[in-house]
Amino acid sequence: MSDRIVDAKVIVTCPGRNFVTLKLTTADGVTGLGDATLNGRELAVATYLQEYVCPLLLGRDPAQINDTWQYLYRGAYWRRGPVTMASIAAVDMALWDIKAKTAGMPLYQLLGGRARDGVTVYGHANGRDIPEVLDEVAAFLERGYKAVRVQVGIPGLGAVYGVSKDRTFYEPATGTDRPEETRWSTEAYLHFVPQLFAAVRDRFGFDFHLLHDAHHRLTPTEAAKFGKRIEEYDLFWLEDPTPAEAQDAFRIIKQHTTTPIAVGEVFNTIWDCHQLISERLIDFIRVTPVHAGGVSHVKRIVEFADLYGVRSGFHGATDMSPVCMAAAIHLDMSIANFGLQEYMHHTEETNAVFRHAYYFADGCLHPGDEPGLGVTLDEELAATFPYRRAYLPVNRLLDGTMFHW
Ligand code: CS2
Ligand code: MG
């Protein structure tokens, strides 16, 4: 008789920021973890799992990963979207965790084995002004990073995306009663940021990958012009230059600039990026297991992307729990078209709740050799960090017009 799922539990905890985790347990006593964190809307996913998904999992064969994925996707009728796909993602990650533990091997071995020595990552150098950013870049290069993303405060503007109040951790979801409101000027941004790239290249040269996240804030024409303007600084990628609902808008950007484009952290199925990939409108796909249907669906997306020369660049911000980070690293280790992995440090409390086998060395993350994902969740400790509602900021233009955060 094959094994059966006998328990499906949703664990919400807030060790410095909110995380939602699904824990499955089989009759044979094997457990699996799945990240279900949707920053700013965590309880929507927790409820979707608790009310509609967990009851359906009890009694199912944990080995049937593909059938369970389709059962939850086609069976929902209301397909796609961040809440549904984060819920399916959590189940998928947990089932892969169980399968690899049952096989007695780290997940990447089941996904085709080691295809590289380690997973090259990028760190986040940010500061209120250019000198502060330069000091942060120096610190990352000192620590052996081969890739660094730079974000800077814009003169005349208050808080802007990517510049952390705390020098060590970046956590944008800070509004407990209501979202923090920020003000934005695209003109001020476009005028100032090329000076940041010039200063970075002047001081540190071109022997490391330089990245930047425009965070959905430009029009296609502004992005095309900006991409062309900064070609001399040879960015590894310019991220989210324009909102990605309109995939065909990226044709305008690609017609005018060779600055590589990375998009996808907000995507949740292959349908969100099918055109971007098949028309080679992007160079890196940024989907991540928790938001894009889990290990199974992210694997499908990156293998599709490989046909068109598009590489991976999985999202790895602090709102991806160590469970999602581990799943991403196992995929990074095994796929053919690996590009780069984002790596934002979690808080010490998070690392205590989610003990994990992956580790940083020589500018790379390494998965470790524990069976499965290599993550354990300390439920007792998790219970000491109760959920605390936290909104992502909203962003308005200087005249008050609602804009993109
Ligand atoms: C950002 C994220 O890491 C990134 O590239 O776009 O910090 C993003 O803002 C957060 O994940 C939103 O929760
Ligand atoms: Mg981003």
Side-chain angles (χ1 to χ4, degrees):
M1 156 91 162
S2 61
D3 203 355
R4 288 275 167 258
I5 295 169
V6 295
D7 189 51
K9 181 193 287 187
V10 177
I11 299 158
V12 181
T13 182
C14 186
R17 60 143 298 107
N18 292 312
F19 293 110
V20 179
T21 308
L22 174 69
K23 180 179 179 181
L24 300 182
T25 307
T26 75
D28 292 349
V30 184
T31 59
L33 295 176
D35 186 11
T37 306
L38 184 63
N39 202 358
R41 295 295 185 272
E42 292 86 358
L43 296 190
V45 184
T47 303
Y48 190 107
L49 282 167
Q50 275 157 341
E51 293 303 313
Y52 306 112
V53 172
C54 291
L56 299 181
L57 296 176
L58 302 182
R60 283 189 70 87
D61 178 353
Q64 291 184 281
I65 297 177
N66 292 344
D67 182 67
T68 300
W69 199 99
Q70 295 297 342
Y71 181 72
L72 295 175
Y73 181 78
R74 299 181 188 200
Y77 186 74
W78 312 105
R79 300 178 180 188
R80 304 167 69 184
V83 174
T84 299
M85 296 316 295
S87 302
I88 294 175
V91 176
D92 186 80
M93 274 182 257
L95 293 179
W96 275 110
D97 195 13
I98 289 167
K99 192 177 275 285
K101 282 179 178 175
T102 306
M105 55 182 74
L107 177 58
Y108 71 83
Q109 293 293 10
L110 278 190
L111 300 176
R114 177 185 294 275
R116 51 195 52 80
D117 299 332
V119 173
T120 305
V121 295
Y122 70 91
H124 285 227
N126 68 85
R128 290 162 297 187
D129 54 32
I130 290 177
E132 264 191 19
V133 178
L134 295 179
D135 289 346
E136 294 274 296
V137 173
F140 275 105
L141 296 177
E142 272 292 302
R143 297 207 299 269
Y145 279 75
K146 304 179 179 89
V148 183
R149 187 189 87 166
V150 291
Q151 306 293 137
V152 68
I154 307 294
L157 299 184
V160 294
Y161 164 71
V163 179
S164 53
K165 298 181 184 81
D166 166 330
R167 296 305 330 131
T168 327
F169 300 106
Y170 176 61
E171 178 44 68
T174 53
T176 45
D177 296 328
R178 57 187 62 256
E180 181 193 350
E181 292 229 351
T182 58
R183 288 293 166 115
W184 178 254
S185 159
T186 301
E187 294 73 15
Y189 165 83
L190 290 173
H191 174 71
F192 187 71
V193 170
Q195 299 171 49
L196 168 68
F197 301 149
V200 171
R201 287 309 195 194
D202 281 351
R203 177 158 163 195
F204 301 103
F206 288 74
D207 283 349
F208 71 100
H209 296 323
L210 177 61
L211 305 91
H212 177 70
D213 191 344
H215 220 257
H216 323 279
R217 299 192 180 184
L218 306 178
T219 66
T221 302
E222 288 167 341
K225 191 173 167 191
F226 183 59
K228 191 164 186 57
R229 164 78 179 75
I230 61 174
E231 281 174 4
E232 63 179 300
Y233 305 117
D234 195 21
L235 264 63
F236 185 78
W237 80 42
L238 173 63
E239 180 177 335
D240 285 330
T242 196
E245 292 97 318
Q247 295 183 48
D248 60 346
F250 286 76
R251 289 190 192 125
I252 298 169
I253 303 170
K254 270 295 173 191
Q255 280 159 6
H256 294 279
T257 181
T258 56
T259 294
I261 302 295
V263 176
E265 67 183 51
V266 296
F267 293 162
N268 38 74
T269 71
I270 198 165
W271 301 109
D272 294 332
C273 49
H274 176 274
Q275 185 181 7
L276 286 172
I277 291 170
S278 59
E279 292 189 23
R280 296 180 176 86
L281 301 178
I282 59 174
D283 303 272
F284 296 91
I285 183 67
R286 294 234 333 117
V287 291
T288 197
V290 63
H291 295 308
V295 170
S296 303
H297 200 62
V298 167
K299 187 169 186 298
R300 186 175 180 188
I301 292 171
V302 283
E303 286 172 351
F304 175 68
D306 192 28
L307 300 179
Y308 299 93
V310 174
R311 289 182 283 169
S312 73
F314 299 154
H315 187 201
T318 45
D319 44 297
M320 266 93 281
S321 91
V323 176
C324 178
M325 282 304 293
I329 294 161
H330 284 283
L331 278 161
D332 289 326
M333 281 301 289
S334 61
I335 57 176
N337 53 327
F338 170 72
L340 199 59
Q341 171 65 50
E342 178 174 10
Y343 179 41
M344 269 195 199
H345 291 257
H346 285 112
T347 62
E348 287 314 311
E349 302 104 312
T350 297
N351 291 330
V353 170
F354 297 92
R355 196 198 58 72
H356 49 80
Y358 65 80
Y359 63 94
F360 176 83
D362 311 320
C364 294
L365 281 174
H366 301 270
D369 286 317
E370 286 185 16
L373 290 172
V375 185
T376 53
L377 197 166
D378 182 331
E379 293 185 55
E380 239 178 80
L381 184 58
T384 65
F385 297 107
Y387 169 78
R388 192 185 58 219
R389 188 175 63 198
Y391 289 104
L392 280 168
V394 297
N395 194 27
R396 293 180 182 274
L397 296 178
L398 299 181
D399 68 0
T401 304
M402 258 313 287
F403 198 60
H404 313 289
W405 176 71

